Amino acid sequence: MDMIAKIKKVGTDSSKVMDIAHHLTDVSGPRLTNSPGFMRAANWAKEELTSWGLVNAQLEPWGEFGKGWQQEKCYVAMVSPYYQPLIAIPRAWTNGTGKKIIRDEVVLVKAEDTIALAKYMGRLKDKIVMTWSAAQMKPSFEPDGNRFADTTLDKMAVAEMHPGGPNQQQNPQRQNQFSRFQMQRRMNEMINKEKPALVLTMNQNGNDGTVFVASGGQYAKDAPEAPASVALSSDDYLRLQRLIEDGIKVEIEADIKTKFFDDDLKGYNVVAEIPGTDPTLKDELVMLGGHLDSWHGATGATDNAAGCSVMMEAVRILKALNVQPRRTIRIVLWSGEEEGLLGSRAYAKNHFADTANGQWVLKPEQSKVSAYYNVDNGTGKIRGVYLQGNEAERAIFSKWLEPFNDMGAKTVTINNTGGTDHLSFDRVGIPGFQFIQDEIEYDTRTHHSNMDDYDHLVPEDLKQAAIIVATFVYNTAQRDEKMPRKELLPPAKNQRAF
Ligand SMILES: [Zn+2]
C-alpha cells in the first residue's frame, strides 16, 4: 500500500503523460507503419525511455512489413457548378494525381454489386470517379462522448463464461461495416483496374466534417500500385452525388502528392526494460505495451498514442520511484497493428511460439512471461479489466483494483475483448489483458479519423490509467508466483486475429 501511495503521488503531481502524448502526436505526426512519422515517434520513444533509465532500448525488427507511405500534398475542390474547397484526405498507400493539377468532370458509378459495375468497364480510364452511396446524414441527438454507466459495468461484472469459450464482445454494427467493407473493396479493385485519375470515396459513419480514412492501396513490396484516391467528408460527397444525379455537370480540381518509402521494408517494435533484481525471478518477465502505429488522417492520438503514453508513463513512474522489481519489466510499442496485429504476432512468433504441423513449438521465453498488459481503447480512464476468459485471475485483479475503486476502476469481467495486441499473447498461452476503458468519443469521432488528435485526449483519464497500469505491472513483478495461465489451445483453434 505504501508503494501504491507513492505511484499515485508521482502519477498525479508530476505526471508526464501529456508531454509524452504531445511528442507522439503533435511532434511526430501521423504514424502509419514504416512512415517517417512512425520512425520519428519510435526513435523519440527509444531515446526518452533510455533517458529515464530503462535499459536495452531498441527498435527491434520483427520481419518484413513492406513500404512506408505519406501524403505530401492534398488539394481537392469542386470548381463547377461553383467553387467549393472540399474536406479530403488521401487514402494510405495510394498514388498521387501526377505532375499537373487535374481538372475534370466527375463520373458517378451507380452499381450496387460487381455485376452492375461491369457496364462501366472501359469508361473510367483517366476519369475522376465516385461510387453511389445510399447514406443519408441525420442530426445527432446523442452525445459524442460517453462514459460507462454503473449499471453496464455491473452487468459486465456478473457475466458468465459461455460454454465453448469466453464471450467475445460483439458489435453488430461492426459486423455490418465489415461486409460493406468487403463489397466496397471488390468494387474498388475493379475500378482500380480501369486506371482512373482519381477515386473519391466516403465513409458513411463520418459526420460534421469527420472523415474516417484508412488504406486504399497495398504496402507489400511488389504490390500493384493503386490510383490516387481520397476520402471526402460525407456532406461534401453527398452534395456532389445529388448534383450529378440532378444532371448537373460537376467538375473537380485536384493536386495530390504522395510518397512511398522502400529503403527498409522491415517492421520495427520499440522495446525497453527495467531489469529484475531477484536472483531467481529476474529472468521472468512482466510485459506491457500498446501499438505505436496509427492511421494518417490525423495524429493517432486516441488510437493509440493514448495507450503508448499511458504505458510509457507507467514505466517512467516506476523508474522515478527507483523501483527494483523482482521480475524484469519489458515495455513494447508495436507497429503493424492497424494492418492486422502484425508487429505483435511476429514478436510472439520470434520470442514465444512458432508452429509446425499444426502444433505449437514453444520457445523457452514463452514460459517466462507472467502477464502482458495492453491499452488500446482510446483516451478513457480505466474502469476495470477483461479477464479474457481466465477466471483464475478474478480474485487477484479484484484485490489489485481495490485501491482504485474511488477512482472509478472496480469491474472485473470474464468477457473477452478483441481487436488488438493482447490477442497475440493470449494466442500463444501467455496471459494477455486489456483494460475496460470509458468510450469517450472513440467510435463517434476519433477512431481512425481526421479528428484523432491531441485535443481529443483527456489528461485526467490518462493519468488515472497510467497509475493503475504502473500498479498492475509492479504487483505482477513482485508476486511470488507467475499469473495463472489458461490451457493453451492448438494454433488452429486459437486464430482470433481481430
Ligand atoms: Zn488501436
Side-chain angles (χ1 to χ4, degrees), residues 427-494:
R427 184 169 171 269
V428 297
I430 297 171
F433 303 101
Q434 269 257 108
F435 295 91
I436 304 166
Q437 290 177 262
D438 275 335
E439 172 94 12
I440 314 297
E441 302 165 307
Y442 202 49
D443 269 1
T444 51
R445 197 58 63 192
T446 64
H447 182 240
H448 299 179
S449 84
N450 61 337
M451 290 295 123
D452 196 8
D453 55 23
Y454 180 94
D455 295 292
H456 291 267
L457 297 174
V458 183
E460 293 312 313
D461 283 38
L462 295 177
K463 285 183 201 173
Q464 183 258 25
I467 288 167
I468 293 176
V469 170
T471 304
F472 269 55
V473 167
Y474 177 77
N475 288 344
T476 309
Q478 301 306 92
R479 201 169 179 271
D480 287 336
E481 301 85 27
K482 282 189 301 219
M483 300 297 277
R485 291 185 168 199
K486 292 187 292 191
E487 181 196 357
L488 173 60
L489 299 175
K493 290 197 174 164
N494 233 351

Side-chain angles (χ1 to χ4, degrees), residues 291 293 302-304 337-338 376-377 419-420 442 447-448:
H291 71 90
D293 65 301
T302 67
D303 187 21
N304 182 32
E337 192 272 352
E338 297 292 1
D376 181 24
N377 272 330
T420 186
Y442 202 49
H447 182 240
H448 299 179

